[in-house]
Amino acid sequence: MTTSPASLTASEIACLERIDQTTMLAQVETWAMINSGSGNLAGLEQTAALLADAFSALPGEVQLVDGAPVEAVRADGSIDTIERGKHLVVSVRPGANLRLLLTGHMDTVFPADHPFQSLTWLEPGVLNGPGVADMKGGIAVMLAALKAVDASPLGATIGYDVLINSDEEVGSASSAPLIAALAAGKVAALTYEPALPDGTLAGERGGSGNFSIIVTGRSAHAGRNPHEGRNALVAAADLAVRLKALTRDGLSVNPAKIDGGSANNVVPDHAILRVNFRPQSLEMQALAEEALHRLAHEIAAAHEVGVHVHGSFGRPPKPIDPGAERLFGLVKDCGAALGLDISWRGTGGVCDGNNIAACGVPVVDTMGVRGGAIHSADEFLIADSLAERARLSALTILRLAEKRGL
């Protein structure tokens, strides 16, 4: 452990020395060998049980909680309910004056039938495997930091909730109400998405909104009476072009797919447009939302079709406000005490940090391991970063307690 001894107290050093790299790596290897793709309910159940057992080492209540129902628009326009896995919640010292939120996710982007299922050492200290960085390594970092802090003299003064959800990779629609409930009253939050390989953190984040727009027209024969039809596919395509034209600085619009159509000799009476919005600010989110509903109304009138908008901005933009700036500053100072140069930069990606920030809670959401190539079969974890980042988290939590907040 490279540290700056003059900037660490004897109590802090004793806390950090409790963090054991070997134990953490063994946990990651065990957890990553279980496929826990967001739709693999059996794998998620197995993973949740292992995590519940591991987090039972903390001095609090461990629960597996059902998520909120999630709706999805099918290709035929019907709205179905999707089942998600249970979410792990740990509550420690709920009556403490200082209350923190720590979050992570157990799901990965790799479904049960994906060929990427094994672990490989690419070189000494670099482990390749599904979810090793995003974010089973991050979960190990979180747990090791909390165990070390709880064993320190300040541990008894710190209250916290842990949420490890099962649907982050698919937008956290099932766990969003739980995130909001647990964020209430918290001084700060730490989320364990992976940092970049060089340790850079994500700063401000744009938001994300996903929508399925159902267009209902009128069928007719393409040769005998086409004028009596109302072409839902053409209306959806027209809407896609108009929505794409909203793209500007601070707002990206991506019409991604149109479901629907019919035989070549039939005017199609059904189509669904799938579109993603990426606003960089709340102002741009409001602009996009207003424009979406206005254009939907215009398309309905112009093409004489029915248009139903289904979806939401599930990830609001996450700016760096004064509270977040202070928290980032504290993490940077803790990094300096550990011999780490901590920096951050904005990113277009989204995560549960967006949801937490929208609740008014300062959050640093890349407190996990150093790694890269996430969401691909090249995903890797830099093993030494397990203990490194656990020490960074533990020291950050201790100093939040010393300062009694930000």
Side-chain angles (χ1 to χ4, degrees):
M1 177 173 64
T2 301
T3 65
S4 176
S7 60
L8 292 173
T9 66
S11 177
E12 288 172 341
I13 292 171
C15 171
L16 301 181
E17 287 178 344
R18 295 186 181 97
I19 292 168
D20 178 37
Q21 167 95 5
T22 302
T23 299
M24 299 169 71
L25 180 58
Q27 288 173 329
V28 174
E29 290 176 316
T30 298
W31 299 338
M33 285 302 295
I34 302 169
N35 179 284
S36 57
S38 305
N40 181 5
L41 296 182
L44 287 168
E45 183 178 11
Q46 187 179 359
T47 301
L50 287 177
L51 293 177
D53 182 62
F55 277 79
S56 68
L58 300 175
E61 181 185 13
V62 179
Q63 303 177 71
L64 291 174
V65 179
D66 290 326
V70 177
E71 290 186 342
V73 178
R74 301 299 188 189
D76 64 359
S78 63
I79 298 176
D80 199 4
T81 299
I82 297 176
E83 186 179 356
R84 297 296 186 202
K86 293 182 182 293
H87 312 301
L88 177 69
V89 177
V90 185
S91 181
V92 175
R93 289 179 285 271
N97 290 330
L98 180 74
R99 296 278 290 148
L100 305 174
L101 175 62
L102 298 94
T103 72
H105 63 87
M106 68 182 81
D107 63 324
T108 72
V109 300
F110 307 105
D113 60 353
H114 196 282
F116 186 39
Q117 301 281 353
S118 61
L119 304 178
T120 305
W121 287 99
L122 301 178
E123 59 182 79
V126 181
L127 180 63
N128 163 247
V132 289
D134 186 21
M135 65 182 310
K136 291 173 181 179
I139 295 171
V141 167
M142 180 203 302
L143 178 58
L146 289 172
K147 288 167 67 175
V149 167
D150 277 327
S152 74
L154 277 173
T157 69
I158 304 168
Y160 57 86
D161 287 326
V162 170
L163 169 63
I164 302 177
N165 59 4
S166 64
D167 68 332
E168 191 277 341
E169 295 290 10
V170 287
S172 301
S174 171
S175 57
L178 193 53
I179 294 170
L182 293 173
K186 299 302 192 293
V187 169
L190 303 174
T191 295
Y192 287 81
E193 295 293 339
L196 294 178
D198 65 359
T200 300
L201 308 179
E204 66 272 14
R205 292 181 181 270
S208 178
N210 289 301
F211 293 85
S212 296
I213 304 162
I214 304 169
V215 182
T216 304
R218 185 187 308 143
S219 182
H221 193 284
R224 181 177 299 173
N225 60 333
H227 58 282
E228 294 180 8
R230 297 295 179 266
N231 195 311
L233 193 69
V234 170
D238 189 4
L239 180 57
V241 171
R242 297 192 197 194
L243 288 173
K244 181 61 180 175
L246 297 172
T247 298
R248 63 197 68 196
D249 288 344
L251 176 63
S252 173
V253 184
N254 183 46
K257 185 179 182 182
I258 295 178
D259 294 314
S262 187
N264 280 358
N265 63 347
V266 177
V267 175
D269 63 354
H270 165 76
I272 301 171
L273 171 63
R274 318 283 184 170
V275 60
N276 173 255
F277 295 85
R278 295 283 175 144
Q280 295 300 309
S281 66
L282 290 171
E283 291 77 16
M284 282 296 170
Q285 177 176 310
L287 181 151
E289 195 155 22
E290 183 279 329
L292 169 61
H293 290 283
R294 172 174 50 80
L295 290 173
H297 179 76
E298 291 176 3
I299 289 292
H303 292 266
E304 298 180 350
V305 295
V307 180
H308 172 70
V309 177
H310 187 280
S312 68
F313 285 91
R315 305 286 199 194
K318 190 197 84 169
I320 300 292
D321 61 17
E325 192 168 2
R326 289 192 295 273
L327 182 57
F328 272 98
L330 176 62
V331 173
K332 183 176 180 65
D333 290 345
C334 290
L338 297 170
L340 305 173
D341 182 15
I342 301 295
S343 61
W344 55 89
R345 67 170 185 246
T347 175
V350 294
C351 72
D352 288 337
N354 292 69
N355 301 62
I356 295 167
C359 297
V361 178
V363 57
V364 175
D365 56 31
T366 37
M367 294 295 287
V369 296
R370 288 187 288 117
I374 61 173
H375 295 189
S376 81
D378 297 320
E379 179 174 352
F380 67 90
L381 155 70
I382 299 172
D384 285 349
S385 70
L386 286 163
E388 171 193 291
R389 299 326 250 196
R391 293 180 188 120
L392 179 62
S393 279
L395 188 57
T396 299
I397 294 168
L398 287 175
R399 293 194 172 177
L400 278 167
E402 291 166 1
K403 292 159 60 77
R404 304 194 180 199
L406 293 169

